[in-house]
Amino acid sequence: MAARPQTVLHSGSVQAELRYVIDTGAKPRTYISPQHSGQPSRRVDTVDIREMRIHDAWPLAGEASLDREGFELHQQESQVCDFHDDEEVERVHYPEIEGLIRRATGAARVSIFDHTRRSAGDRRPGVRDPVRSVHNDYTPKSGPQRVRDLFPEEAEGLLKRRFAVVNAWHSIRERVESHPLAVCDARSIAPKDLLATDLVYEDRVGEVFNLAHNPEHQWFYFPGIEQNQTILLKCFDSAVDGRARFTAHTAFDDPETVDGAPPRESIELRALVFFDDGPSTGG
């Protein structure tokens, strides 16, 4: 089980600003180019900045689960020498994380389909800014569509069984000291909070959820999380039986970050996770 780093001293929770959106009744569209930083572009008058309590999640390490809160923490060592080398990441790290997700979920099949590196202020090719808006990566429309896009010959059969999209997120520095990841307990998200948004790429249109503010949202983060500690985050589940389906998340400015702290450098891998435990019950 992943444990709190001994060097981390923390007050238990912080108050911080999170960027929600206002539901205007019109579906938002964000245009993504190959050079896009990862920051969503939207009209200023739709941004809804709210101060929220973000709780220390270390007491939940080993207890929070993908099917209940929508996230969980694992100790995961890696043999990757250079996380900026895409070939090494795909050759070495993809199998490592596929194995982690399979052990954590009991899935019959796990397939990682992409990865993203993020760092505030890093302008190297292939590095995006941390996303500072409350969002969830997939919707009931875009989750199944990802299966169709990646497995066109198998999709009809795969979509008859339960599947999920799970992200694996961790630092590629020794630890995270600024712009940490906050995750929202899936049980505190109401359906009305989820606002579908088009992501317009050069070759396709995807869909994510942005979130409207709800004072019931329960936020958590792991201050000082280290490179060998990985957050698994459920961004979609086809089952509609009460388990977590969507887990909102965002980077944020931690008021307890010390002056001069190095920028967060992280990598996130996205996986399609297929199960044998029942039919798919939702789109």
Side-chain angles (χ1 to χ4, degrees):
M1 182 184 75
R4 174 193 291 271
Q6 294 183 354
T7 57
V8 173
L9 299 176
H10 198 264
S11 62
S13 67
V14 296
Q15 287 280 129
E17 291 184 345
L18 299 185
R19 296 171 67 88
Y20 288 94
V21 297
I22 297 170
D23 184 3
T24 65
K27 188 177 186 181
R29 292 170 69 85
T30 297
Y31 292 86
I32 307 293
S33 70
Q35 293 77 34
H36 193 269
S37 70
Q39 288 289 82
S41 56
R42 59 172 62 92
R43 288 167 35 202
V44 173
D45 60 357
T46 66
V47 176
D48 187 11
I49 298 176
R50 300 290 185 128
E51 191 164 281
M52 299 293 288
R53 176 69 59 182
I54 307 176
H55 301 278
D56 183 345
W58 285 110
L60 297 179
E63 297 181 12
S65 76
L66 285 171
D67 282 347
R68 188 174 57 247
E69 291 86 356
F71 67 92
E72 56 189 48
L73 184 69
H74 290 269
Q75 198 77 19
Q76 174 67 28
E77 302 289 343
S78 176
Q79 298 302 309
V80 174
C81 296
D82 181 4
F83 281 101
H84 289 277
D85 182 335
D86 286 333
E87 187 278 331
E88 184 180 13
V89 168
E90 293 178 16
R91 174 174 50 84
V92 178
H93 203 38
Y94 278 27
E96 292 173 336
I97 296 300
E98 285 173 356
L100 170 63
I101 294 173
R102 188 176 293 109
R103 292 190 299 273
T105 63
R109 177 178 174 182
V110 177
S111 179
I112 292 174
F113 56 88
D114 72 6
H115 65 276
T116 301
R117 288 177 292 270
R118 298 192 187 277
S119 180
D122 189 332
R123 293 295 175 251
R124 281 179 288 183
V127 180
R128 294 183 173 184
D129 290 338
V131 178
R132 295 182 180 87
S133 61
V134 178
H135 68 286
N136 182 80
D137 293 6
Y138 286 89
T139 70
K141 175 183 176 182
S142 59
Q145 186 59 48
R146 207 71 176 113
V147 177
R148 297 185 187 101
D149 292 342
L150 294 170
F151 302 105
E153 302 299 323
E154 302 177 73
E156 183 177 350
L158 291 172
L159 292 173
K160 291 179 180 178
R161 309 293 293 179
R162 179 187 165 222
F163 76 97
V165 183
V166 173
N167 287 10
W169 184 101
H170 68 85
S171 177
I172 56 178
R173 281 185 177 270
E174 182 180 357
R175 65 177 56 85
V176 172
E177 299 183 54
S178 63
H179 305 104
L181 180 73
V183 295
C184 187
D185 188 328
R187 298 171 297 179
S188 68
I189 300 172
K192 65 180 177 60
D193 305 335
L194 300 165
L195 307 178
T197 300
D198 283 336
L199 291 186
V200 183
Y201 297 86
E202 290 187 325
D203 58 344
R204 65 184 178 91
V205 178
E207 187 178 73
V208 300
F209 277 134
N210 286 309
L211 267 78
H213 173 256
N214 184 335
E216 299 300 316
H217 290 162
Q218 295 294 308
W219 287 96
F220 295 89
Y221 80 120
F222 292 95
I225 189 171
E226 297 182 336
Q227 185 182 101
N228 60 359
Q229 296 168 323
T230 296
I231 299 172
L232 297 184
L233 187 70
K234 190 193 289 184
C235 293
F236 176 80
D237 197 318
S238 65
V240 289
D241 56 3
R243 73 184 82 204
R245 298 192 72 199
F246 311 109
T247 312
H249 49 286
T250 180
F252 74 101
D253 294 323
D254 183 354
E256 295 194 355
T257 297
V258 300
D259 291 341
R264 179 248 273 190
E265 293 186 29
S266 62
I267 189 168
E268 59 210 59
L269 290 76
R270 300 174 186 87
L272 285 169
V273 183
F274 300 99
F275 299 90
D276 286 336
D277 64 350
S280 179
T281 53

